[in-house]
Amino acid sequence: MLKIKNLHATIDGKEILKGIDLEVKPGEVHAIMGPNGAGKSTLGNVLTGREGYDITEGEVEFLGKDLLDMEADERAKEGLFLSFQYPVEIPGVSMVNFMKTAVNEKRKHQGLQPLKAGEFLKLMREKKELVELKSELANRSVNEGFSGGEKKRAEIFQMAMLEPRLSILDETDSGLDIDALRTVAKGVNALRGEDRSSIVVTHYQRLLDYIVPDFVHVLYNGKIVKTGTKELALELEEKGYDWIKKELGE
Amino acid sequence: MSEQDKILNEVTQNEYKYGFTTDIETDTLPKGLNEDIVRKISELKGEPEFMLEFRLDAYRKWKEMEMPEWAYLKIPPIDYQDIIYYAAPKQQAKYESMDEVDPELLETFNKLGIPLEEQKHLAGVAVDAVMDSVSVKTTFKDTLAEKGIIFCSFSEAVQEHPDLIQKYLGSVVPTNDNYFAALNSAVFSDGSFVYIPKGVRCPMELSTYFRINAANTGQFERTLIVADDDSYVSYLEGCTAPMRDENQLHAAIVEIVTMDRAEVKYSTVQNWYPGDKNGVGGIYNFVTKRGICKGESSKISWTQVETGSAITWKYPSCILMGNNSSSEFYSVAVTNNHQQADTGTKMIHIGKNTKSLIISKGISAGKSENAYRGLVKVVPKAENARNFSQCDSLLLGDTCGAHTFPYIEVGNKSSVVEHEATTSKIGEDQIFYCNQRGISTEDAIGMIVNGYAREVLNQLPMEFAVEAQKLLQISLEGSVG
């Protein structure tokens, strides 16, 4: 699904990613944990093609294609999805309209006809129920005036609509109360499947109680310094990141 | 230049789609302006004496006036003696049936999406098509006449309803109102006239479609709309011109009069040729539009989508004379490449309990300059006047400018005048968010801009709104940062 080899990236000349190696196979869920400033969000941004980063070394293969060679929208249409840590507001553009464009752009890319209005609305209804998104939110402008929790729920709703092959969830748990966290996790889990994978970026072990990962990686200072299974997350929760730092001899 | 700027550039550098010319024989008067030309125009149109007097009076006033320089515009010197003031497609006389209309003309309007055959036209819209200096054809006249509605070319109105013309022409925009108004009053050649009788709700949208075709020609049209007591009409105006390297002058006047409880909704989609991406050519659009809410509880609303013209100087305004009268001004003005716009409105509160609303959305891209200029004036006797103004500017890229010049003059303590203004830049994060959902940068810009202008676009009649949305996107093709 995804193969990252020796990925280095800089922003304004400052190196943030210092040689990432990671392979995600179909059906797997990988958690990436690490302290602030480790490069967790940068990794998501670089993979999804956000501007402002220079890739100085390394390569990334996504579904057999050179990911870094594609434009951001092309990557999305190929099946890569980012659930934003801070979803952006787009005033005047309704969520319905936004999703219709996104879904149909993807279908066009796959050589499919656009969905008929009825089919689209049915899909909307199903997915809204899945993440318990209030109906009125879909009629409002994208993320405008949404609460923190509603924004995150709306991200998962969009993910459900677009059925990506690989989802990157960037701190989807931040700012969520426990009930919202459960619904979001439910949505994510419902989308798990043999040919779908996820990368869950988080600070805390809490989310991983609900979205159980196959692997846990610790990202520290631009590198993956430790890889384990879900037990590693528990260990981190208990001992904190200082433990890693000590182990690295810092 | 960042990657995004590059993409923006590509998106905004789209071709103007209405830039073709029609090969048709035209009768023109020689270049230049003097009393003889004014007389000749009046004579060609077989006008009554009062019209000639009106024109000559305006011409004499114009000669004494100077071009206004207060706008935030750089206007190259205009040689008024190098312009043709009258051009008409030949053999026009009057078309009794469609068979007599030159097929080239029909084809032109078909290409513009304005079929003149009634059966082919969108049900519910009557059209007056004006090419260069004359009206080519007005549709659905008979249907409208059954309700007593007059909808015809201005020339025809002068012949058939001289009393109404004499009464209302220049009653809202006097001949000496401003330089361009005086010029128009002297040489205007055609346009539309609308009269809605008492108690009549016009059953269809009325529209005038203006087309400049002839080279070196100025277009000076005149629209007059009179809505009698308890009547209603929605009026649309569209305009395009061929792509030419020289600048062409368009100086129009629109006057609206509403009597007791009457309502007029006036919508414009202005898409004159804006010039090429280096700023060569394009229309100078110097227009005076004004309405007067003469009767009590009457209402005038202006909605404009301005995407064309090299230079725009235009302030659709309203004089709120009747008690409880109200007016609204909704505007989206887009400038790209080297376009310049100085546009806004004037709301003059005179009657008691008068209300006005101003929603202006400026969008600038490329190397363009976009200014909002608005006056809200409350005279001392205008008890309980209310105004709310909101002027937003959106910048695409960092080589364009947005300016806001609000003027507020309040002479009555019981009035409430509110003004809000914002300036924002289209966000890279907004574009990336769309990209990440599989939406290309071009489509994302179109979507964000349309979302930004939604409040105004919602005011337009359906068919127009769709057109306007597409137009916004096309106008900005090649521009974000």
Side-chain angles (χ1 to χ4, degrees), chain B residues 135-147:
Chain B
S135 167
V136 175
K137 170 80 188 164
T138 311
T139 63
F140 291 107
K141 266 165 70 176
D142 300 341
T143 321
L144 294 167
E146 282 168 22
K147 295 215 164 213

Side-chain angles (χ1 to χ4, degrees), chain A residues 48-51 72-73 76-77 80-82 84 88-89 91-93 98 101-102 105 143 155 158, chain B residues 2-4 7 428-430 432-441 443 447-448 450-452 454:
Chain A
T48 49
R50 190 177 199 128
E51 279 181 32
D73 56 322
K77 284 186 280 202
L80 184 61
F81 182 90
L82 175 67
F84 285 66
V88 179
E89 299 187 359
V93 177
F98 183 67
T101 309
E105 281 298 315
N143 296 323
E155 291 291 292
Q158 293 181 42
Chain B
S2 76
E3 189 59 29
Q4 195 144 35
I7 295 170
E428 290 189 18
D429 49 349
Q430 283 177 327
F432 177 65
Y433 191 78
C434 296
N435 286 160
Q436 215 302 305
R437 299 304 184 245
I439 301 165
S440 69
T441 299
D443 290 347
M447 197 177 232
I448 295 165
N450 271 302
Y452 166 79
R454 172 112 351 243

Side-chain angles (χ1 to χ4, degrees), chain A residues 42-60:
Chain A
T42 299
L43 181 61
N45 286 337
V46 165
L47 290 178
T48 49
R50 190 177 199 128
E51 279 181 32
Y53 297 93
D54 286 320
I55 316 291
T56 47
E57 225 183 310
E59 50 196 76
V60 181

